[in-house]
Amino acid sequence: MKLIFLGPPGAGKGTMAKRLASHGGMAHISTGDLFREAVAQGTDLGKQVKSILDRGDLVPDEVTVKLVQERIGRPDCRRGFILDGFPRTIPQAEALDRLSPPDLAVNFVLADDEVVKRLSGRRLCPSCGKTFHILFVPPRKPDICDGCGTGLVIRKDDQVEAIRNRLAVYKAQTEPLEAHYRDLGILRNIDAAPDPEKVFAALKTALGV
Ligand code: AP5
Ligand code: MG
Ligand code: ZN
């Protein structure tokens, strides 16, 4: 199955994609994670996108599409993939329709004030990539990853200013994709507000798995 995950920043796309990928054997591809890895490694791509990510703006379509094209061509994608955070613009969606059209577009729906709560409490493991929340998904020991024991960090773009910008960018550039996939008959809306167990159950029902 080829899936794309839509929805505002902080809706839980990454959290659900990680769970579903380990459950269903699909590749999990987060463009945000790929860009952050490039920044951490100091590659040319990383240098090009660092300030864009920190502000919460979008990386140019050309750069993003090239990255995804290369990634979905790898062998681990033959059994299907979850694209988490791509496409985010109409030109990206049109490029994907040409490269490898998705079977379903899952749209995680969450109100703005919940977005702010989710992002301001998020903590990330820089080593294994696990995501926590200080209130909603707390690690067993404060600020330590349950999975690998590494100290947790806060994403640069989870500061209030960048969160506001990411929401505005989402509404202007990404929300129009809902109509694109509705017209194709493959949009599935999921209420992202309940706790992670309930959201995951609703996701599996929507996918029929
Ligand atoms: P990206 O990394 O994709 O960021 P985003 O879309 O802003 O989404 P997030 O990762 O912040 O949220 P999420 O929905 O994954 O939520 P999460 O599961 O972490 O992109 C970052 C940047 O990269 C962009 O700003 C842009 O610059 C660039 N970029 C990426 N893709 C691009 C593209 N296609 N084109 C151009 N530029 C691109 O959950 C959030 C928090 O809530 C966590 O703390 C979690 O523990 C908690 N939580 C999750 N689910 C629940 C629940 N059900 N109940 C309570 N808490 C929950
Ligand atoms: Mg994410
Ligand atoms: Zn870890």
Side-chain angles (χ1 to χ4, degrees), residues 91-157:
Q92 290 181 14
E94 290 171 348
L96 185 65
D97 289 343
R98 287 190 297 270
L99 288 170
S100 188
D103 300 307
L104 284 179
V106 180
N107 184 34
F108 293 91
V109 180
L110 193 68
D112 292 1
D113 53 341
E114 290 300 320
V115 165
V116 176
K117 277 187 220 159
R118 293 249 180 117
L119 294 181
S120 46
R122 173 163 57 188
R123 298 292 183 273
L124 202 70
C125 175
S127 175
C128 75
K130 244 179 168 322
T131 301
F132 300 88
H133 190 285
I134 50 172
L135 302 175
F136 309 140
V137 190
R140 283 192 292 270
K141 281 187 219 154
D143 288 321
I144 301 292
C145 176
D146 288 355
C148 71
T150 306
L152 302 177
V153 299
I154 303 178
R155 264 170 57 174
K156 264 229 169 91
D157 59 348

Side-chain angles (χ1 to χ4, degrees), residues 10 12-15 18 28 30 32-33 36 84-85 88 122 131 155 166:
K13 302 181 295 294
T15 301
K18 283 185 192 107
H28 170 210
S30 159
D33 287 350
R36 279 185 292 278
D84 158 14
R88 259 178 158 87
R122 173 163 57 188
T131 301
R155 264 170 57 174
R166 285 158 68 200

Side-chain angles (χ1 to χ4, degrees), residues 5 12-21 108 196-197 199-200 203:
F5 279 9
K13 302 181 295 294
T15 301
M16 292 301 139
K18 283 185 192 107
R19 288 188 66 159
L20 185 67
F108 293 91
E197 288 306 320
V199 177
F200 191 59
L203 173 63

